[in-house]
Amino acid sequence: MTARVAAVILLILCHLPANGEIVDEVVAAVGETPILHSDIALAQLVELVGRNPGETETAYAARLLDARINLELQFRDLEESGTLYRLEFDVASSRELLIRRGGGELTVFNALETLGLTPGDLEELSLRLASSTAYIEQRLQPRIRLTPEEIQTTYQDVVVAEMEAAGQSPPPLEDVRNQIRRLLMERKLNDEIEAWLATAAEKHEVIRFYRP
């Protein structure tokens, strides 16, 4: 057992009530920060990630847990590096977005009370979402560059090859250039996000105590 794992377990034990009654459950830890079952319930309430068509409850629960872990990794990395304090982000807008996803203020705040949560818990989630989004928009997106060769290659591979295989005539490159640029930008941004998460995971050990 590593010292970090022992520290997390000790932290968990310190939060248990004296009579042994379980009031919440630790499902994972990012570094020394526990992620509770109530954190996942909140993520589900406000649809931190949306459901996929036909997705099972187990698959959706697994994606929710992954998303919450990733969000905590990103936040801890931003906080530890000091980048968090050099970003411009709007927590209120993120909170409003989450409330809309959750069905509106009345629905969300009633559900928070039912779950044993407070508006402060929603505020913490909003802070994490806002700072992560700001880092992606302000730091990662500006790094992305596309070359004419990449656009041409993607046009040939994605548009021309697939349409000709289907017996259709492909449109000229100029007609679909913007769509190809968006596709490539999204792919490269996803690669940047994955690289960020990989770097953060090297600094903050992730322990899962529960798998849906």
Side-chain angles (χ1 to χ4, degrees), residues 73-180:
L73 270 173
Q74 291 168 334
F75 181 75
R76 293 301 161 191
D77 186 64
L78 293 174
E79 184 180 49
E80 184 178 272
S81 67
T83 305
L84 178 68
Y85 310 105
R86 298 190 294 272
L87 294 170
E88 295 181 4
F89 52 86
D90 186 352
V91 176
S93 292
S94 290
R95 181 175 61 251
E96 290 171 5
L97 172 64
L98 294 175
I99 289 174
R100 286 199 302 273
R101 288 179 181 175
E105 285 194 8
L106 182 60
T107 299
V108 168
F109 286 110
N110 284 342
L112 287 177
E113 185 174 355
T114 300
L115 292 169
L117 299 172
T118 69
D121 295 306
L122 177 61
E123 193 75 10
E124 287 295 318
L125 183 61
S126 302
L127 170 62
R128 283 152 175 74
L129 181 60
S131 57
S132 173
T133 301
Y135 182 75
I136 291 169
E137 293 177 348
Q138 297 170 30
R139 300 298 177 87
L140 298 187
Q141 282 183 339
R143 297 178 187 173
I144 299 174
R145 298 289 184 272
L146 299 180
T147 66
E149 291 76 18
E150 288 175 315
I151 294 174
Q152 181 66 41
T153 298
T154 303
Y155 169 69
Q156 291 294 333
D157 293 345
V158 175
V159 180
V160 175
E162 292 188 10
M163 292 192 71
E164 287 183 347
Q168 302 174 342
S169 298
L173 172 57
E174 288 306 314
D175 289 358
V176 293
R177 182 181 296 275
N178 288 338
Q179 292 93 320
I180 291 174

